Amino acid sequence: MDAIARAIAIHRPGEVVPNRAPRPAPPGLDGAPPCEKSTLLARIDGDEKLLAQVAGIFIREAPGMIDALRAGVVSKDCGAIELAAHKMKGTLQTIAAEATSRDALRLEGMARDGDLAGAEEVLMRIERDMERLTRLMETWERGESPG
């Protein structure tokens, strides 16, 4: 269980945070928000204070997740990529960041299969999306409402 899922579990004892494969993206969602705030709020019973805490945890953990994934891709270390992508995928599913979660799942599968062709392109999308997610989470941590 990652730190975000633990934070939700602490504040919502007995709550089960979904751990499921992400759904396929509907076509044409390039301009979609990086995270579904309504879905995340539903998971935490609309608790805006907990949303701010979750956002803060994400902001602190995101750079390390990206660094671990990038290091694995640069060194072509399939084991490191699979582990980092798996952890990232779980965090992204917890916060309802479906599109980025799908890319992490894609990298995880590529690493598991030992076929890293195209891994750099997927990593670039993840890095871009994680930057967008971090900016969004910064607004939520401050109690602002975008997303």
Side-chain angles (χ1 to χ4, degrees):
M1 181 182 297
D2 66 24
I4 291 173
R6 278 192 305 276
I8 292 172
I10 288 168
H11 290 284
R12 302 282 183 240
E15 170 129 355
V16 176
V17 177
N19 186 11
R20 58 173 170 66
R23 290 171 279 154
L29 287 183
D30 294 336
C35 176
E36 290 298 326
K37 185 177 184 180
S38 61
T39 302
L40 179 52
L41 277 171
R43 290 180 183 165
I44 58 175
D45 296 329
D47 188 334
E48 294 280 346
K49 184 176 179 182
L50 181 53
L51 177 66
Q53 291 173 348
V54 166
I57 293 167
F58 180 85
I59 292 164
R60 288 189 302 278
E61 291 197 352
M65 287 190 288
I66 295 166
D67 289 346
L69 195 56
R70 185 182 307 116
V73 170
V74 167
S75 65
K76 299 186 183 340
D77 181 339
C78 289
I81 295 168
E82 186 174 1
L83 181 64
H86 181 79
K87 177 181 179 184
M88 181 180 281
K89 176 188 71 180
T91 297
L92 293 167
Q93 287 175 343
T94 300
I95 64 166
E98 296 293 334
T100 313
S101 177
R102 280 189 298 278
D103 278 334
L105 175 64
R106 190 169 296 118
L107 263 183
E108 182 182 9
M110 293 167 81
R112 186 176 34 256
D113 295 343
D115 181 4
L116 299 180
E120 294 85 3
E121 291 82 14
V122 177
L123 175 64
M124 286 173 38
R125 277 197 312 271
I126 289 173
E127 289 175 327
R128 179 203 64 214
D129 290 348
M130 290 291 281
E131 183 178 322
R132 289 179 61 214
L133 275 165
T134 298
R135 286 194 309 266
L136 180 61
M137 293 290 170
E138 287 168 348
T139 65
W140 293 354
E141 186 181 38
R142 291 189 304 267
E144 298 171 12
S145 64

